[in-house]
Amino acid sequence: MNMLHRHFALKAKGTTVGVEIRAGLVTFLTMSYILFVNPQILSATGMPQDDVVMATALASCVGTLIMGLWANYPFALAPGMGLNAYFTYGIVQGLGVSWQVALAAVLVEGVIFLILSVSGLRTWLMQAIPSSVQMATMCGIGLFLAIIGFKSMGLVADHPATLVTLGDVQNPKLLLALLGLLVMSALSSARVRGAILIGIALITIISWIGGIHSPPESIFSLPRLPQKTLMAFDFGELLTGKMIVAVLSLLFVDIFDTAGTLIGVGRLAHFVDKKGNLPRSKAAFTADSIGTIAGAFVGTSTLTSYIESATGVEEGGKTGLTAVVVALMFLMALFFIPLIQAVPPMATAPALVFVGAMMMRGTLDIPWKNFEESLPAFLTLAAIPFTYSIAAGMSLGMISFVVLKLLRGKIRDVHPLMYVLALLLVIFYGFGIGS
């Protein structure tokens, strides 16, 4: 126990082993859906679904463990939603290559990512992003979490004319999810520790007893190592023009998704300094890149830091011990797949909405009266949920920030790297690479 306190500096950070374990459990529960969603998406490429389940759990464990032990942050990593869709529909099906070639692209992207992380270039990148865009990123991620939660709850639904509309408010699953949200909020207001975890457990049990969701038929299952996806690389087409573009696209989205998550969740947890910088960001970025490389070796798409880490932070997680717990849960999950599958979305979705609301407090620190700062911030905040992409929202905010400063003649108010980034982003989206 003393070793844990020394390594993670629990006392100095005002936390305990119990709080960190609870935060890790909450984070895992809110992101454990990736164990089931990722294999479904990647199997459309022809990858064996059972292998991808194993690869998802193993890669998430490795990346998150490095994040916790080395960077000492409560951030969890897993194959990124959106990045896995691009792997399947953009690279394999869109470019007409095999999934083995796509895995090779992920490996190369991860190696480039690692070089950028170790060299400190990614840390410099974060320092160049304006504080107003950083703050808006946190708020935008809050809205992003909320819309993911609303969709999972059934509160919002697709609509051909208006894109989204109100869901079926008489659906027992939605009503139960709303109950879970209210329970979490009431317990949190009463300063009850474990409010989110209690809410998840309560709704899960009610759904089982009420017959709304099926309880697990069994608890244990025996895992096996990936067979067909392990080191299944094909470098034959990697030097073609279309694959070079694919690698750069993966790299771009990975950089800004990870940076956006670290900025947003880091601000929520008060990890950033007065200048908006995240201490030990090099270690955090390196953990992310190593996780991506590990994922490519076992057979999954690019890893990234998960915005669901905010649930654990809100639960009180402040150190890497939270991440270590998540990593161990991913490893243990291989033996408890039936039990994890029995936790319904209606139980975990309210946690996303709850944390989304907490992250909106950052709007108070955005200088709304200064339009040069507030417009880029607003575009960032709004575009993240509306485009369903942290990278797209941050890109729009940074480009608009640079353009406004140039129009105002305030050239020196912009970090030199921001001019380079804005130009690259314009090229990226202008030539249809980011679409």
Side-chain angles (χ1 to χ4, degrees), residues 35-376:
L35 289 169
F36 317 109
V37 176
N38 196 50
Q40 292 172 5
I41 294 175
L42 297 191
S43 64
T45 67
M47 298 177 73
Q49 192 162 343
D50 290 345
D51 277 14
V52 180
V53 172
M54 281 294 305
T56 301
L58 289 172
S60 301
C61 174
V62 170
T64 305
L65 193 62
I66 295 173
M67 178 70 78
L69 292 176
W70 188 17
N72 197 18
Y73 279 128
F75 303 141
L77 287 78
M81 293 294 292
L83 285 163
N84 51 11
Y86 179 66
F87 179 97
T88 297
Y89 305 109
I91 299 178
V92 176
Q93 296 183 9
L95 300 180
V97 300
S98 67
W99 58 264
Q100 290 89 344
V101 173
L103 277 181
V106 172
L107 175 65
V108 172
E109 181 263 324
V111 172
I112 297 173
F113 204 164
L114 178 60
I115 294 172
L116 293 175
S117 300
V118 173
S119 66
L121 289 177
R122 290 188 61 183
T123 303
W124 192 37
L125 169 65
M126 286 190 67
Q127 294 173 347
I129 299 174
S131 60
S132 57
V133 174
Q134 290 190 28
M135 189 62 65
T137 299
M138 182 182 81
C139 303
I141 291 175
L143 292 177
F144 194 14
L145 283 171
I147 197 169
I148 292 172
F150 285 158
K151 182 180 179 181
S152 185
M153 292 165 62
L155 185 61
V156 297
D158 296 337
H159 193 281
T162 60
L163 297 182
V164 293
T165 188
L166 182 66
D168 181 7
V169 294
Q170 296 180 342
N171 189 323
K173 294 182 179 180
L174 172 56
L175 296 177
L176 198 54
L178 291 173
L179 173 63
L181 178 60
L182 294 175
V183 168
M184 292 175 191
S185 302
L187 291 175
S188 179
S189 297
R191 300 188 180 279
V192 175
R193 285 291 186 179
I196 297 176
L197 186 57
I198 292 171
I200 292 174
L202 176 65
I203 300 306
T204 298
I205 293 172
I206 292 176
S207 69
W208 290 349
I209 296 175
I212 299 175
H213 193 81
S214 300
E217 296 181 0
S218 62
I219 296 178
F220 300 101
S221 63
L222 291 176
R224 63 172 180 80
L225 290 174
Q227 296 176 349
K228 295 183 179 180
T229 64
L230 187 64
M231 297 181 65
F233 303 118
D234 181 356
F235 295 96
E237 299 182 55
L238 205 57
L239 294 180
T240 61
K242 62 183 180 182
M243 289 310 299
I244 291 175
V245 171
V247 170
L248 292 177
S249 297
L250 284 171
L251 181 64
F252 167 79
V253 177
D254 194 10
I255 285 176
F256 283 100
D257 265 5
T258 303
T261 300
L262 293 181
I263 289 171
V265 181
R267 281 190 174 275
L268 176 69
H270 305 293
F271 292 149
V272 298
D273 58 26
K274 294 180 179 180
K275 296 181 179 180
N277 301 324
L278 182 71
R280 307 186 307 282
S281 59
K282 182 188 293 187
F285 287 140
T286 302
D288 190 292
S289 57
I290 293 175
T292 291
I293 294 172
F297 268 95
V298 293
T300 186
S301 53
T302 304
L303 263 69
T304 188
S305 300
Y306 256 54
I307 56 177
E308 284 83 352
S309 302
T311 59
V313 169
E314 192 59 38
E315 193 61 34
K318 297 179 180 179
T319 75
L321 183 55
T322 293
V324 170
V325 172
V326 176
L328 294 178
M329 289 300 295
F330 269 116
L331 198 59
M332 291 178 62
L334 298 174
F335 297 89
F336 296 94
I337 294 296
L339 181 61
I340 295 172
Q341 287 178 318
V343 177
M346 73 189 84
T348 57
L352 300 179
V353 179
F354 177 79
V355 173
M358 295 299 100
M359 296 184 77
M360 293 306 294
R361 66 181 64 149
T363 56
L364 297 173
D365 297 320
I366 296 175
W368 292 109
K369 294 183 178 180
N370 182 351
F371 211 61
E372 297 170 24
E373 301 281 343
S374 63
L375 179 64

Side-chain angles (χ1 to χ4, degrees), residues 16-39:
T16 65
V17 172
V19 170
E20 297 293 303
I21 291 175
R22 187 173 64 237
L25 291 174
V26 169
T27 299
F28 175 76
L29 284 173
T30 55
M31 65 182 293
S32 60
Y33 65 85
I34 195 62
L35 289 169
F36 317 109
V37 176
N38 196 50

